[in-house]
Amino acid sequence: MIESQRKEEAAKIPVGRSSDWRRRERIAQALRWIRSCAMCAAVLPPIDVVCESCWERLAMIKNTTGGSRRLAQAGYNFPVYSLFTWTPETDAALRPLVHSLKRGWAPSAVDRLAEWFCFERSRLGPMSANCVVPAPGSSFDHAKAWGEALGTRLQRPIVDVLQKAPKQVRLQRSRSATERAELRFQLKTPGKTGQNAYGGPHLFVDDVITTGSTAMAAYMALGDPKGFEVWTMVNRPRLATL
């Protein structure tokens, strides 16, 4: 009975591009012909946030299933996978990329990153998550764009069910380490917790992970579910001062 209810609820959530995604993608297609590369400032179009030469540069520093740069990250309370690792060596490439993706106005670029990520993650074996939960933010920011790109590729519903608890409205980058540890989320619809909340197990997605406090807040708000995974664009090591 519980399983059938879970499937019935998940089926109500559409899988695929939202109207907001499609609108922003059309705008991004136009911007490709007038913007400069965020990394090298090249102006020869088309430029999808960064030029093709810089996309090749990014491909060279992405994390993979082997080698020194690994997709799977250690030191967290649940499985965490990140496409890039933000270090002093990769700062010049990743800083302008991450900043350019803010506010969700580059869906086609995010989609390319999601394609890279899904390919590498598929090499590590199957995952158990049945839905994609984006980090709380504005109506369509970089975390939600990342979640929608991944959800569409995986054919998993995107369930935007988390919100910041009262007095948790400051930006993460303006918080101290202690304040980050105290971060709390809550469900937009109270009363649904545990493994079956919103079609769990859950795949939590965010743009950057540092201490893991955002992911932990999501994990706690969802009721400490089993099969919880975190997928991020960038892992920024805890001791980094970037």
Side-chain angles (χ1 to χ4, degrees):
M1 178 64 71
I2 293 177
E3 179 66 15
S4 63
Q5 289 176 344
R6 182 192 65 73
K7 290 181 178 180
E8 190 174 305
E9 181 172 307
K12 297 177 184 177
I13 306 169
V15 177
R17 303 300 193 203
S18 67
S19 58
D20 202 358
W21 172 286
R22 292 192 294 271
R23 178 176 66 87
R24 288 167 180 265
E25 190 170 38
R26 288 194 295 271
I27 293 173
Q29 289 299 318
L31 290 175
R32 296 177 70 208
W33 299 94
I34 60 175
R35 62 164 44 122
S36 59
C37 174
M39 286 172 57
C40 71
V43 294
L44 183 63
I47 296 173
D48 195 10
V49 176
V50 299
C51 65
E52 286 303 317
S53 295
C54 287
W55 275 113
E56 293 176 5
R57 180 182 171 191
L58 287 169
M60 295 295 293
I61 64 171
K62 67 182 176 68
N63 294 331
T64 64
T65 53
S68 59
R69 295 186 298 271
R70 293 184 178 275
L71 194 74
Q73 306 299 313
Y76 299 100
N77 297 320
F78 25 67
V80 173
Y81 302 93
S82 298
L83 183 61
F84 299 104
T85 300
W86 196 337
T87 66
E89 290 74 26
T90 61
D91 177 71
L94 295 181
R95 184 182 295 274
L97 175 69
V98 171
H99 289 178
S100 297
L101 298 179
K102 299 291 185 181
R103 301 186 181 88
W105 286 105
S108 54
V110 174
D111 198 34
R112 188 188 302 212
L113 297 173
E115 180 182 11
W116 287 0
F117 188 106
C118 289
F119 172 75
E120 294 296 340
R121 177 61 183 85
S122 67
R123 298 172 65 188
L124 294 175
M127 66 168 199
S128 60
N130 291 325
C131 66
V132 175
V133 181
S138 59
S139 59
F140 193 92
D141 62 4
H142 42 295
K144 289 183 174 59
W146 177 238
E148 186 158 342
L150 292 171
T152 302
R153 289 191 170 277
L154 298 171
Q155 285 298 289
R156 300 291 198 278
I158 297 96
V159 288
D160 186 13
V161 298
L162 296 176
Q163 63 185 5
K164 291 185 178 180
K167 299 182 181 181
Q168 298 283 332
V169 296
R170 288 174 57 196
L171 293 175
Q172 275 290 79
R173 64 174 177 270
S174 67
R175 293 178 178 274
S176 67
T178 301
E179 289 174 323
R180 286 172 182 255
E182 296 173 350
L183 182 66
R184 295 291 182 271
F185 295 149
Q186 63 186 23
L187 297 177
K188 292 181 178 179
T189 304
K192 294 187 177 183
T193 59
Q195 180 73 359
N196 296 307
Y198 301 100
H202 309 84
L203 176 61
F204 179 72
V205 299
D206 202 358
D207 62 332
V208 178
I209 187 168
T210 303
T211 64
S213 58
T214 302
M216 178 57 73
Y219 179 74
M220 294 170 61
L222 291 166
D224 303 351
K226 296 179 181 178
F228 183 86
E229 280 192 18
V230 179
W231 289 12
T232 67
M233 291 185 195
V234 178
N235 170 52
R236 187 166 67 178
R238 301 184 185 194
L239 299 179
T241 57
L242 301 173

